[in-house]
């Protein structure tokens, strides 16, 4: 039968629309947004200055090859700039990789509580997302490998993962890579790599450098504090870089993002300060929330996943409503198959203390 109106390609209407973190609490004067893993320290002063300077030349197209930023990233990480592609956020790159490598009927694997952009990017191409079970809220290499079929083209792995905050050690990432057939591209999404302080963790640079089927995606949205500008980058084998460059928008990264990104990647002091703030308050939140009797999944990122009981009056939904009334905005994660948990980004000292006090009051109230 002929359709009576235009129809999106198969898969598109199977996508559950992405619901971003809330940012308002009606009627509350002072709001602490802890729902999108943004940094409480903001962008560095040098980054903001570089961004402002772009205002003088808004008439000019940006450099479509993003050379200066790729060179700056290459210098900081010791990488060949020719093997770097920049994008309008790492979302852009994840979608470009999906478009470049997936077609109708193909499969892309992600884990149960994996980042929601993966199924969205996959379904948008007409391919099928295949969900590998996790163990203890953590990616399970054997379970991922068991999902691989002739149709598998991509494996998405957020390491550390959002919203769980868990990671797998480099040995495990290597074991995953070794178990994959050579035609499968492993996408290591290391959006929170700068926050991780574990000796057995690697974002993936070495694996990309030594193989033909691994890419690593990074973002400026998190520790660098540039979420508003939409900027990310990937490092990959030359043939993957070539494929992505052919389909990306010729000016997919804007001039303000380029200028700010160059300043941000060079401002190591700001990164160190942000990392130190995060380490201190991540540990504090994990311990203090744990003392209240709530389970916190051990996190290596800049956020914690807090599990609530299913008892009436104590649920995650009710906690969210209680906190929101105090201007403390956390993230419901039902969309991540975690209906009994809330995700909280590490905030300022003030915000962190207010959340712990509020959770204590919430749990202490008569049911
Ligand atoms: C925040 C986040 C990103 C970054 O997305 P951008 O588009 O760069 O803002 C990527 N992956 C994961 C898992 C994230 O949590």
């Amino acid at each position: 039968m002929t359709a009576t109106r235009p129809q999106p390609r198969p898969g598109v209407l199977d996508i559950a629309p992405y619901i971003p973190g809330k940012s308002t609490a009606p009627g509350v004067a002072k709001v602490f947004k802890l729902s999108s893993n943004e940094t409480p320290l903001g962008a560095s002063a040098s980054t903001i200055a570089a961004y402002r300077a772009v205002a003088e030349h808004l008439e000019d197209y940006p450099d479509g090859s993003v050379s200066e930023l790729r060179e700056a990233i290459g210098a900081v990480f010791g990488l060949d700039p020719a093997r770097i592609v920049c994008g309008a956020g790492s979302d852009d790159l994840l979608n470009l990789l999906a478009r470049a490598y997936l077609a109708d009927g193909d499969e892309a694997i992600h884990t149960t509580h994996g980042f929601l952009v993966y199924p969205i990017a996959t379904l948008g191409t007409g391919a099928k997302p295949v969900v590998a079970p996790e163990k203890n809220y953590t990616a399970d290499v054997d379970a991922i490998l068991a999902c691989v079929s002739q149709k598998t083209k991509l494996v998405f792995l957020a390491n550390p993962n959002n919203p769980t905050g868990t990671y797998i050690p480099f040995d495990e990432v290597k074991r995953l890579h070794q178990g994959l057939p050579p035609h499968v591209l492993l996408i290591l999404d290391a959006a929170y790599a700068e926050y991780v302080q574990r000796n057995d963790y690697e974002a993936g640079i070495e694996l990309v450098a030594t193989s033909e089927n691994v890419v690593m995606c990074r973002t400026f949205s998190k520790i660098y504090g540039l979420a508003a500008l939409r900027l990310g980058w990937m490092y990959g084998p030359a043939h993957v870089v070539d494929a992505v460059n052919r389909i990306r928008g010729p000016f997919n990264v804007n001039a303000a993002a380029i200028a700010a990104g160059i300043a941000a990647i060079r401002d190591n002091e700001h990164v160190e300060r942000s990392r130190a703030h995060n380490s201190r308050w991540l540990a504090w939140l994990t311990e203090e929330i744990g003392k209240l009797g709530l389970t916190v999944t051990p996190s290596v990122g800049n956020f914690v996943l807090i599990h609530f009981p299913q008892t009436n009056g104590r649920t995650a939904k009710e906690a969210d409503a209680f906190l929101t009334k105090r201007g403390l905005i956390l993230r419901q994660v039902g969309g991540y198959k975690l209906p009994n948990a809330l995700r909280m980004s590490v905030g300022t000292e003030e915000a962190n203390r207010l959340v712990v006090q509020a959770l204590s009051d919430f749990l202490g109230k008569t049911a």
Side-chain angles (χ1 to χ4, degrees):
M1 208 173 74
T2 328
T4 56
R5 55 179 194 180
Q7 301 293 315
R9 58 182 300 151
V12 171
L13 298 181
D14 297 333
I15 298 172
Y18 184 84
I19 303 166
K22 277 189 294 194
S23 52
T24 54
V28 184
K30 189 162 183 187
V31 167
F32 296 89
K33 186 178 177 223
L34 305 167
S35 58
S36 300
N37 298 346
E38 294 144 345
T39 170
L41 277 71
S44 76
S46 64
T47 302
I48 295 168
Y51 168 79
R52 288 213 168 104
V54 175
E56 301 301 323
H57 288 287
L58 296 183
E59 71 282 12
D60 294 337
Y61 273 99
D63 167 22
S65 66
V66 199
S67 309
E68 206 187 334
L69 174 56
R70 287 188 297 105
E71 279 159 24
I73 295 168
V76 168
F77 290 92
L79 307 175
D80 177 1
R83 305 253 313 252
I84 294 171
V85 185
C86 295
S90 41
D91 282 1
D92 184 24
L93 297 163
L94 295 166
N95 277 289
L96 289 170
L97 287 163
R99 265 176 56 208
Y101 289 95
L102 297 175
D104 287 355
D106 287 340
E107 295 179 354
I109 299 170
H110 69 274
T111 67
T112 309
H113 308 296
F115 191 41
L116 276 179
V117 168
Y118 311 150
I120 294 174
T122 301
L123 286 165
T125 68
K128 186 177 148 210
V130 174
V131 181
E134 298 184 5
K135 243 189 211 149
N136 252 332
Y137 302 104
T138 308
D140 175 349
V141 167
D142 296 303
I144 295 171
L145 291 175
C147 289
V148 174
S149 78
Q150 270 308 314
K151 295 179 180 168
T152 308
K153 293 287 162 59
L154 299 180
V155 173
F156 290 104
L157 180 71
N159 200 31
N161 184 50
N162 167 21
T164 52
T166 57
Y167 78 107
I168 61 172
F170 190 43
D171 280 353
E172 282 291 281
V173 178
K174 281 194 281 198
R175 194 165 73 80
L176 169 61
H177 174 246
Q178 276 156 15
L180 292 175
H183 73 274
V184 175
L185 180 62
L186 173 60
I187 301 176
L188 299 173
D189 179 354
Y192 301 95
E194 296 82 3
Y195 285 113
V196 183
Q197 310 216 290
R198 290 288 190 283
N199 290 333
D200 59 358
Y201 174 79
E202 277 283 341
I205 287 175
E206 178 192 319
L207 206 52
V208 175
T210 55
S211 60
E212 288 289 307
N213 64 333
V214 184
V215 301
M216 173 190 71
C217 292
R218 303 286 285 260
T219 184
F220 282 87
S221 298
K222 304 287 156 57
I223 208 163
Y224 301 101
L226 295 181
L229 290 183
R230 315 305 305 124
L231 183 62
W233 58 280
M234 59 160 255
Y235 172 57
H239 68 99
V240 176
V241 165
D242 175 59
V244 171
N245 272 330
R246 284 168 196 262
I247 58 168
R248 75 177 171 87
F251 302 105
N252 63 329
V253 181
N254 71 73
I258 292 174
I262 292 166
I265 204 88
R266 290 176 177 157
D267 198 335
N268 195 44
E269 207 176 283
H270 185 71
V271 172
E272 284 303 333
R273 211 176 312 125
S274 308
R275 198 174 358 240
H277 173 89
N278 192 66
S279 294
R280 175 177 174 207
W281 290 102
L282 178 70
W284 186 84
L285 284 166
T286 305
E287 182 171 333
E288 295 299 319
I289 297 171
K291 279 192 212 157
L292 299 175
L294 297 172
T295 305
V296 179
T297 300
S299 169
V300 296
N302 68 335
F303 54 92
V304 285
L305 187 67
I306 310 166
H307 302 267
F308 291 81
Q310 282 165 266
T311 337
N312 265 344
R314 298 278 186 277
T315 65
K317 267 206 164 96
E318 287 161 300
D320 186 37
F322 187 94
L323 293 164
T324 300
K325 276 197 198 133
R326 294 192 182 187
L328 302 165
I329 314 228
L330 276 63
R331 180 65 167 268
Q332 287 198 25
V333 280
Y336 285 96
K337 302 182 198 132
L338 295 163
N340 303 314
L342 295 177
R343 190 192 68 198
M344 173 194 179
S345 311
V346 173
T348 57
E349 170 169 359
E350 182 187 12
N352 299 334
R353 290 191 186 278
L354 286 171
V355 170
V356 169
Q357 184 57 54
L359 285 174
S360 167
D361 294 347
F362 169 71
L363 295 166
K365 78 190 163 79
T366 43

